[in-house]
Short mmCIF file of all heavy atoms in Angstrom, two decimals:
data_model
loop_
_atom_site.label_atom_id
_atom_site.label_comp_id
_atom_site.label_asym_id
_atom_site.label_seq_id
_atom_site.Cartn_x
_atom_site.Cartn_y
_atom_site.Cartn_z
N SER A 10 9.63 15.04 16.17
CA SER A 10 8.80 16.16 15.82
C SER A 10 9.69 17.37 15.54
O SER A 10 10.90 17.29 15.83
CB SER A 10 7.79 16.52 16.89
OG SER A 10 8.45 16.89 18.08
N GLY A 11 9.17 18.40 14.94
CA GLY A 11 9.94 19.61 14.68
C GLY A 11 11.16 19.34 13.82
O GLY A 11 11.10 18.58 12.87
N GLU A 12 12.28 19.96 14.17
CA GLU A 12 13.51 19.87 13.35
C GLU A 12 14.11 18.47 13.40
O GLU A 12 14.68 18.03 12.42
CB GLU A 12 14.53 20.88 13.80
CG GLU A 12 14.24 22.29 13.34
CD GLU A 12 14.10 22.38 11.83
OE1 GLU A 12 15.04 21.99 11.09
OE2 GLU A 12 13.03 22.83 11.35
N SER A 13 13.94 17.74 14.50
CA SER A 13 14.45 16.37 14.56
C SER A 13 13.71 15.49 13.57
O SER A 13 14.29 14.62 12.95
CB SER A 13 14.35 15.80 15.96
OG SER A 13 13.00 15.66 16.38
N LEU A 14 12.41 15.73 13.40
CA LEU A 14 11.66 15.03 12.39
C LEU A 14 12.11 15.42 10.97
O LEU A 14 12.32 14.49 10.13
CB LEU A 14 10.18 15.34 12.57
CG LEU A 14 9.20 14.75 11.51
CD1 LEU A 14 9.33 13.22 11.41
CD2 LEU A 14 7.77 15.19 11.80
N TYR A 15 12.30 16.65 10.76
CA TYR A 15 12.78 17.11 9.40
C TYR A 15 14.12 16.50 9.07
O TYR A 15 14.32 15.99 7.97
CB TYR A 15 12.86 18.64 9.35
CG TYR A 15 13.54 19.13 8.09
CD1 TYR A 15 12.91 19.06 6.85
CD2 TYR A 15 14.85 19.59 8.14
CE1 TYR A 15 13.52 19.48 5.69
CE2 TYR A 15 15.47 20.03 6.98
CZ TYR A 15 14.83 19.96 5.75
OH TYR A 15 15.44 20.37 4.59
N GLU A 16 15.03 16.48 10.02
CA GLU A 16 16.37 15.90 9.75
C GLU A 16 16.30 14.41 9.44
O GLU A 16 17.06 13.93 8.62
CB GLU A 16 17.27 16.10 10.98
CG GLU A 16 17.72 17.56 11.21
CD GLU A 16 18.48 18.11 10.00
OE1 GLU A 16 19.31 17.33 9.43
OE2 GLU A 16 18.27 19.30 9.63
N ALA A 17 15.32 13.74 10.02
CA ALA A 17 15.19 12.31 9.77
C ALA A 17 14.64 11.99 8.38
O ALA A 17 14.95 10.97 7.80
CB ALA A 17 14.29 11.65 10.81
N VAL A 18 13.84 12.91 7.83
CA VAL A 18 13.11 12.58 6.58
C VAL A 18 13.42 13.53 5.42
O VAL A 18 12.88 13.38 4.35
CB VAL A 18 11.58 12.58 6.85
CG1 VAL A 18 11.23 11.53 7.91
CG2 VAL A 18 11.06 13.95 7.19
N HIS A 19 14.31 14.49 5.64
CA HIS A 19 14.45 15.55 4.61
C HIS A 19 14.90 15.04 3.25
O HIS A 19 14.58 15.60 2.21
CB HIS A 19 15.48 16.60 5.07
CG HIS A 19 16.88 16.17 5.07
ND1 HIS A 19 17.42 15.41 6.09
CD2 HIS A 19 17.87 16.33 4.14
CE1 HIS A 19 18.71 15.15 5.81
NE2 HIS A 19 18.99 15.71 4.66
N ASP A 20 15.61 13.88 3.24
CA ASP A 20 16.07 13.32 1.98
C ASP A 20 15.34 12.05 1.59
O ASP A 20 15.74 11.30 0.67
CB ASP A 20 17.56 13.05 2.04
CG ASP A 20 17.93 12.06 3.12
OD1 ASP A 20 17.09 11.75 3.98
OD2 ASP A 20 19.12 11.60 3.14
N ALA A 21 14.23 11.78 2.24
CA ALA A 21 13.46 10.52 1.98
C ALA A 21 12.65 10.60 0.73
O ALA A 21 12.02 11.61 0.43
CB ALA A 21 12.62 10.18 3.18
N ASP A 22 12.64 9.52 -0.03
CA ASP A 22 11.77 9.38 -1.16
C ASP A 22 10.41 8.79 -0.76
O ASP A 22 9.39 9.01 -1.41
CB ASP A 22 12.40 8.42 -2.21
CG ASP A 22 13.69 8.94 -2.77
OD1 ASP A 22 13.64 9.82 -3.66
OD2 ASP A 22 14.77 8.54 -2.29
N ALA A 23 10.42 8.04 0.36
CA ALA A 23 9.21 7.45 0.90
C ALA A 23 9.24 7.49 2.40
O ALA A 23 10.33 7.29 3.01
CB ALA A 23 9.01 6.03 0.38
N ILE A 24 8.10 7.73 3.01
CA ILE A 24 7.95 7.75 4.48
C ILE A 24 6.89 6.74 4.85
O ILE A 24 5.80 6.75 4.28
CB ILE A 24 7.62 9.17 4.98
CG1 ILE A 24 8.77 10.13 4.73
CG2 ILE A 24 7.27 9.10 6.48
CD1 ILE A 24 8.41 11.59 5.04
N ALA A 25 7.19 5.89 5.81
CA ALA A 25 6.23 4.99 6.39
C ALA A 25 6.11 5.30 7.86
O ALA A 25 7.10 5.36 8.59
CB ALA A 25 6.68 3.52 6.19
N LEU A 26 4.90 5.54 8.34
CA LEU A 26 4.68 6.04 9.69
C LEU A 26 3.69 5.16 10.46
O LEU A 26 2.63 4.81 9.91
CB LEU A 26 4.11 7.46 9.62
CG LEU A 26 3.69 8.13 10.91
CD1 LEU A 26 4.87 8.32 11.87
CD2 LEU A 26 3.03 9.49 10.63
N VAL A 27 4.03 4.81 11.67
CA VAL A 27 3.09 4.10 12.51
C VAL A 27 2.05 5.12 13.08
O VAL A 27 2.43 6.08 13.76
CB VAL A 27 3.82 3.39 13.69
CG1 VAL A 27 2.77 2.73 14.62
CG2 VAL A 27 4.79 2.36 13.15
N ARG A 28 0.77 4.90 12.69
CA ARG A 28 -0.30 5.74 13.14
C ARG A 28 0.02 7.23 12.95
O ARG A 28 0.48 7.63 11.89
CB ARG A 28 -0.62 5.39 14.62
CG ARG A 28 -1.07 3.96 14.88
CD ARG A 28 -2.55 3.80 14.71
NE ARG A 28 -3.27 4.51 15.72
CZ ARG A 28 -4.40 4.09 16.24
NH1 ARG A 28 -4.94 2.98 15.88
NH2 ARG A 28 -5.02 4.82 17.18
N ASP A 29 -0.24 7.99 14.01
CA ASP A 29 -0.02 9.46 13.93
C ASP A 29 1.07 9.87 14.89
O ASP A 29 0.97 10.91 15.57
CB ASP A 29 -1.34 10.23 14.21
CG ASP A 29 -1.98 9.81 15.50
OD1 ASP A 29 -1.41 8.93 16.22
OD2 ASP A 29 -3.08 10.32 15.80
N ARG A 30 2.14 9.08 14.98
CA ARG A 30 3.16 9.31 15.98
C ARG A 30 4.10 10.47 15.66
O ARG A 30 4.89 10.87 16.51
CB ARG A 30 3.95 8.01 16.20
CG ARG A 30 3.12 6.94 16.88
CD ARG A 30 3.85 5.65 17.12
NE ARG A 30 3.06 4.73 17.90
CZ ARG A 30 3.44 3.49 18.24
NH1 ARG A 30 4.64 3.05 17.85
NH2 ARG A 30 2.65 2.72 18.94
N SER A 31 4.07 10.99 14.45
CA SER A 31 4.78 12.20 14.09
C SER A 31 3.87 13.11 13.29
O SER A 31 3.18 12.62 12.40
CB SER A 31 6.05 11.88 13.31
OG SER A 31 7.06 11.30 14.12
N PRO A 32 3.82 14.43 13.58
CA PRO A 32 2.91 15.33 12.86
C PRO A 32 3.53 15.77 11.55
O PRO A 32 4.69 16.22 11.52
CB PRO A 32 2.76 16.48 13.82
CG PRO A 32 4.08 16.50 14.59
CD PRO A 32 4.54 15.07 14.70
N PHE A 33 2.75 15.74 10.48
CA PHE A 33 3.19 16.26 9.18
C PHE A 33 2.18 17.29 8.70
O PHE A 33 1.09 16.96 8.24
CB PHE A 33 3.28 15.10 8.17
CG PHE A 33 4.56 14.29 8.31
CD1 PHE A 33 4.60 13.27 9.23
CD2 PHE A 33 5.67 14.57 7.53
CE1 PHE A 33 5.77 12.48 9.38
CE2 PHE A 33 6.85 13.80 7.69
CZ PHE A 33 6.86 12.77 8.60
N ASP A 34 2.52 18.59 8.90
CA ASP A 34 1.66 19.64 8.41
C ASP A 34 2.16 20.18 7.08
O ASP A 34 3.20 19.74 6.56
CB ASP A 34 1.54 20.78 9.46
CG ASP A 34 2.87 21.40 9.82
OD1 ASP A 34 3.88 21.24 9.07
OD2 ASP A 34 2.96 22.02 10.88
N ALA A 35 1.42 21.11 6.53
CA ALA A 35 1.72 21.61 5.20
C ALA A 35 3.08 22.26 5.12
O ALA A 35 3.84 22.11 4.12
CB ALA A 35 0.69 22.58 4.74
N SER A 36 3.53 22.93 6.18
CA SER A 36 4.81 23.64 6.19
C SER A 36 5.95 22.63 6.10
O SER A 36 6.95 22.87 5.43
CB SER A 36 4.94 24.57 7.38
OG SER A 36 4.88 23.82 8.60
N LEU A 37 5.85 21.55 6.84
CA LEU A 37 6.87 20.50 6.79
C LEU A 37 6.86 19.80 5.45
O LEU A 37 7.93 19.56 4.84
CB LEU A 37 6.67 19.50 7.92
CG LEU A 37 7.60 18.27 7.94
CD1 LEU A 37 9.05 18.67 7.98
CD2 LEU A 37 7.24 17.34 9.08
N ILE A 38 5.69 19.47 4.95
CA ILE A 38 5.60 18.77 3.69
C ILE A 38 6.24 19.55 2.55
O ILE A 38 6.91 19.02 1.67
CB ILE A 38 4.12 18.44 3.41
CG1 ILE A 38 3.61 17.39 4.40
CG2 ILE A 38 3.91 17.96 1.97
CD1 ILE A 38 2.13 17.25 4.49
N LYS A 39 6.05 20.87 2.60
CA LYS A 39 6.64 21.74 1.53
C LYS A 39 8.17 21.66 1.54
O LYS A 39 8.80 21.87 0.50
CB LYS A 39 6.19 23.18 1.76
CG LYS A 39 6.61 24.14 0.67
CD LYS A 39 6.09 25.56 0.91
CE LYS A 39 4.60 25.64 0.73
NZ LYS A 39 4.11 27.02 0.81
N ARG A 40 8.76 21.31 2.69
CA ARG A 40 10.22 21.18 2.77
C ARG A 40 10.77 19.82 2.33
O ARG A 40 11.94 19.56 2.49
CB ARG A 40 10.66 21.45 4.23
CG ARG A 40 10.27 22.83 4.73
CD ARG A 40 10.62 22.98 6.21
NE ARG A 40 12.01 22.95 6.52
CZ ARG A 40 12.56 22.84 7.68
NH1 ARG A 40 11.74 22.73 8.78
NH2 ARG A 40 13.83 22.84 7.90
N LEU A 41 9.88 19.00 1.80
CA LEU A 41 10.28 17.63 1.42
C LEU A 41 10.05 17.41 -0.07
O LEU A 41 9.20 16.64 -0.51
CB LEU A 41 9.48 16.59 2.23
CG LEU A 41 9.47 16.75 3.73
CD1 LEU A 41 8.54 15.74 4.39
CD2 LEU A 41 10.88 16.63 4.29
N PRO A 42 10.87 18.12 -0.92
CA PRO A 42 10.63 18.03 -2.38
C PRO A 42 10.89 16.64 -2.99
O PRO A 42 10.36 16.31 -4.05
CB PRO A 42 11.58 19.09 -2.94
CG PRO A 42 12.67 19.15 -1.88
CD PRO A 42 11.97 18.98 -0.58
N LYS A 43 11.69 15.80 -2.32
CA LYS A 43 12.00 14.48 -2.86
C LYS A 43 10.91 13.48 -2.61
O LYS A 43 10.85 12.41 -3.25
CB LYS A 43 13.29 13.91 -2.20
CG LYS A 43 14.61 14.48 -2.74
CD LYS A 43 15.76 13.72 -2.18
CE LYS A 43 15.72 12.23 -2.68
NZ LYS A 43 16.85 11.46 -2.10
N LEU A 44 10.01 13.79 -1.69
CA LEU A 44 9.05 12.79 -1.22
C LEU A 44 8.07 12.40 -2.35
O LEU A 44 7.45 13.23 -3.00
CB LEU A 44 8.26 13.40 -0.03
CG LEU A 44 7.33 12.38 0.68
CD1 LEU A 44 8.12 11.24 1.30
CD2 LEU A 44 6.57 13.14 1.79
N LYS A 45 7.92 11.10 -2.54
CA LYS A 45 7.01 10.54 -3.55
C LYS A 45 5.90 9.68 -2.97
O LYS A 45 4.85 9.50 -3.59
CB LYS A 45 7.84 9.74 -4.56
CG LYS A 45 8.93 10.56 -5.24
CD LYS A 45 9.74 9.69 -6.19
CE LYS A 45 10.89 10.46 -6.80
NZ LYS A 45 11.87 10.88 -5.79
N LEU A 46 6.16 9.07 -1.78
CA LEU A 46 5.19 8.21 -1.21
C LEU A 46 5.13 8.42 0.31
O LEU A 46 6.13 8.56 0.97
CB LEU A 46 5.56 6.73 -1.44
CG LEU A 46 4.73 5.67 -0.66
CD1 LEU A 46 3.27 5.59 -1.24
CD2 LEU A 46 5.35 4.28 -0.68
N PHE A 47 3.90 8.48 0.82
CA PHE A 47 3.69 8.56 2.30
C PHE A 47 2.64 7.49 2.64
O PHE A 47 1.51 7.53 2.16
CB PHE A 47 3.18 9.96 2.67
CG PHE A 47 3.26 10.18 4.17
CD1 PHE A 47 4.17 11.08 4.70
CD2 PHE A 47 2.38 9.56 5.07
CE1 PHE A 47 4.28 11.31 6.06
CE2 PHE A 47 2.46 9.78 6.41
CZ PHE A 47 3.41 10.67 6.91
N VAL A 48 3.03 6.58 3.49
CA VAL A 48 2.12 5.50 3.93
C VAL A 48 2.08 5.47 5.46
O VAL A 48 3.12 5.56 6.08
CB VAL A 48 2.50 4.13 3.35
CG1 VAL A 48 3.94 3.77 3.66
CG2 VAL A 48 1.54 3.04 3.85
N PHE A 49 0.90 5.40 6.01
CA PHE A 49 0.75 5.28 7.45
C PHE A 49 -0.11 4.06 7.82
O PHE A 49 -0.90 3.59 6.99
CB PHE A 49 0.13 6.56 8.05
CG PHE A 49 -1.22 6.89 7.54
CD1 PHE A 49 -2.35 6.44 8.22
CD2 PHE A 49 -1.39 7.69 6.41
CE1 PHE A 49 -3.63 6.74 7.73
CE2 PHE A 49 -2.64 8.00 5.95
CZ PHE A 49 -3.77 7.54 6.59
N THR A 50 0.07 3.57 9.02
CA THR A 50 -0.66 2.37 9.45
C THR A 50 -2.02 2.79 9.99
O THR A 50 -2.21 3.84 10.58
CB THR A 50 0.09 1.61 10.52
OG1 THR A 50 0.25 2.44 11.70
CG2 THR A 50 1.45 1.17 10.01
N GLY A 51 -2.99 1.89 9.78
CA GLY A 51 -4.36 2.23 10.17
C GLY A 51 -5.01 3.02 9.02
O GLY A 51 -4.43 3.28 8.03
N THR A 52 -6.25 3.42 9.29
CA THR A 52 -6.99 4.11 8.23
C THR A 52 -7.33 5.56 8.52
O THR A 52 -7.95 6.23 7.70
CB THR A 52 -8.32 3.36 8.01
OG1 THR A 52 -9.05 3.33 9.26
CG2 THR A 52 -8.11 1.96 7.52
N ARG A 53 -6.80 6.08 9.69
CA ARG A 53 -7.03 7.50 9.98
C ARG A 53 -5.75 8.08 10.58
O ARG A 53 -5.00 7.43 11.30
CB ARG A 53 -8.18 7.69 11.01
CG ARG A 53 -9.54 7.37 10.43
CD ARG A 53 -10.65 7.74 11.40
NE ARG A 53 -10.60 6.94 12.61
CZ ARG A 53 -11.47 7.09 13.60
NH1 ARG A 53 -12.42 8.02 13.56
NH2 ARG A 53 -11.41 6.28 14.67
N ASN A 54 -5.51 9.37 10.25
CA ASN A 54 -4.36 10.08 10.80
C ASN A 54 -4.69 11.54 10.93
O ASN A 54 -4.72 12.30 9.97
CB ASN A 54 -3.14 9.89 9.86
CG ASN A 54 -1.87 10.41 10.51
OD1 ASN A 54 -1.86 11.44 11.19
ND2 ASN A 54 -0.74 9.75 10.22
N ALA A 55 -4.99 11.97 12.19
CA ALA A 55 -5.45 13.33 12.43
C ALA A 55 -4.32 14.33 12.38
O ALA A 55 -4.57 15.54 12.35
CB ALA A 55 -6.11 13.40 13.81
N LEU A 56 -3.05 13.88 12.38
CA LEU A 56 -1.90 14.76 12.40
C LEU A 56 -1.19 14.87 11.05
O LEU A 56 -0.07 15.32 10.93
CB LEU A 56 -0.89 14.33 13.46
CG LEU A 56 -1.39 14.35 14.91
CD1 LEU A 56 -0.30 13.96 15.86
CD2 LEU A 56 -1.97 15.73 15.27
N LEU A 57 -1.89 14.41 9.97
CA LEU A 57 -1.31 14.41 8.66
C LEU A 57 -2.15 15.30 7.74
O LEU A 57 -3.37 15.11 7.64
CB LEU A 57 -1.30 12.99 8.12
CG LEU A 57 -0.87 12.81 6.64
CD1 LEU A 57 0.57 13.19 6.44
CD2 LEU A 57 -1.14 11.36 6.19
#
């Protein structure tokens, strides 16, 4: 979460996430200009 999450994904083209185990809000998403695909497991994610 927080900066450790950003460091893990800042250069990612695609992110795959198990359920809602990491929060992705609008401010973090804006910092990910390379991102093209986001896929999460299950059909609901309250932290995305």
